[in-house]
Amino acid sequence: PEVILFPAADESLGSVGLVWRGPKLNDLYTISALHVLMRMLKDTSASPLAQHFVERPDPIATDIDYDLKPFHHTIIQLV
């Protein structure tokens, strides 16, 4: 794995965020599908992202969250 250092007031805490440009705001079908997909990927301890990052002997993260922000094109954010 690659280690990336970044400055913080408390080095025991931190977060990493990934952002993608999403569908247009009026594409409600795709936006709803993305909500369902992201919930499936992260909402329970059995979810794939939780299993890979949180529920492991040496956790990489304590939590995973997502958001779909409503702009002209939506913003998909995974933190």
Side-chain angles (χ1 to χ4, degrees):
E2 184 176 342
V3 175
I4 301 173
L5 302 175
F6 58 94
D10 181 353
E11 292 183 4
S12 68
L13 301 173
S15 66
V16 175
L18 304 170
V19 178
W20 297 269
R21 185 176 180 167
K24 288 188 176 184
L25 189 57
N26 63 355
D27 187 355
L28 299 180
Y29 180 84
T30 303
I31 291 170
S32 296
L34 285 167
H35 273 290
V36 170
L37 175 65
M38 296 304 281
R39 288 185 64 190
M40 183 277 302
L41 287 173
K42 75 104 198 160
D43 260 7
T44 70
S45 59
S47 299
L49 290 176
Q51 286 291 310
H52 188 76
F53 294 107
V54 180
E55 303 296 331
R56 52 185 279 166
D58 57 337
I60 297 172
T62 56
D63 191 24
I64 298 170
D65 200 6
Y66 82 95
D67 195 7
L68 270 74
K69 301 209 181 264
F71 299 112
H72 177 67
H73 274 87
T74 56
I75 302 295
I76 304 164
Q77 181 179 28
L78 181 64
V79 178

